[in-house]
Amino acid sequence: YSGGTTLNGGTVSFGSNSDANLGATSGGLTFNGGQISYSDGLVLNRAVAINANAALTNAITVNGVLSGSSSLSQSGSDVATFANTGNTFTGTVNSGYAMTFASLGDSANPYNFGNGSASFTWTGGAKTFALRPFNFSTTGNGQIRNNGSGALVIQQNLGITGTAGARTLFLGGTNTTST
């Protein structure tokens, strides 16, 4: 069909990993709530707007611009990659496993790491997160990796909550800390 897809809640499921399952790529994908459920390896070459809570499952790569200011959640044990360097998303991120960003807007909305070995990988240019807190609420290990072309600066405290016990925070790349 022509046009894009708008979700107003519920779940849209499809088995084949075809971007065409969501309409014309020029029409984009808008979340006003809801989730998409798909096979591993879905590649979206369309803009994705998060206007209300959105959920993703399995491995996905979004090559279009990610925008909006609501909540984006990822579940499963696969990587969600947001490859566009023009992403402006400023909402809360709830990472269930691994998420990779080429760009991400700065805001006071947190980046929350879920249970297990949740990770945040940066692949863009130099970036300072002056407002966005990064929170670990996990019984496993958390990772922040800078695989980008410049410095990645997080100016907010790293929050670690949850049950008592040993945890590991891995910081990839060259690191500078201050107190």
Side-chain angles (χ1 to χ4, degrees):
Y1 60 92
S2 62
T5 299
T6 299
L7 280 77
N8 291 316
T11 301
V12 171
S13 298
F14 47 93
S16 68
N17 285 339
S18 174
D19 197 8
N21 286 322
L22 297 169
T25 57
S26 61
L29 173 61
T30 301
F31 285 91
N32 293 327
Q35 76 173 18
I36 57 173
S37 180
Y38 45 87
S39 301
D40 279 345
L42 177 63
V43 176
L44 297 180
N45 294 308
R46 64 181 63 237
V48 177
I50 311 295
N51 297 330
N53 296 345
L56 304 173
T57 61
N58 300 323
I60 187 170
T61 298
V62 177
N63 291 319
V65 172
L66 178 68
S67 65
S69 59
S70 192
S71 176
L72 172 62
S73 298
Q74 176 239 8
S75 63
S77 59
D78 294 300
V79 178
T81 300
F82 301 92
N84 196 294
T85 58
N87 294 334
T88 59
F89 181 72
T90 58
T92 298
V93 178
N94 297 304
S95 175
Y97 185 68
M99 297 180 95
T100 299
F101 289 90
S103 64
L104 180 65
D106 192 18
S107 74
N109 291 317
Y111 188 104
N112 298 313
F113 293 82
N115 292 327
S117 295
S119 68
F120 168 83
T121 301
W122 182 258
T123 59
K127 176 69 175 185
T128 297
F129 288 107
L131 302 172
R132 187 179 293 275
F134 285 73
N135 298 318
F136 296 86
S137 177
T138 179
T139 56
N141 303 319
Q143 299 182 19
I144 297 175
R145 296 180 182 268
N146 181 6
N147 293 344
S149 60
L152 174 63
V153 178
I154 299 170
Q155 293 182 335
Q156 295 296 311
N157 291 330
L158 298 176
I160 300 176
T161 61
T163 58
R167 291 191 196 92
T168 301
L169 172 62
F170 173 85
L171 301 173
T174 303
N175 303 293
T176 303
T177 61
S178 62
T179 57

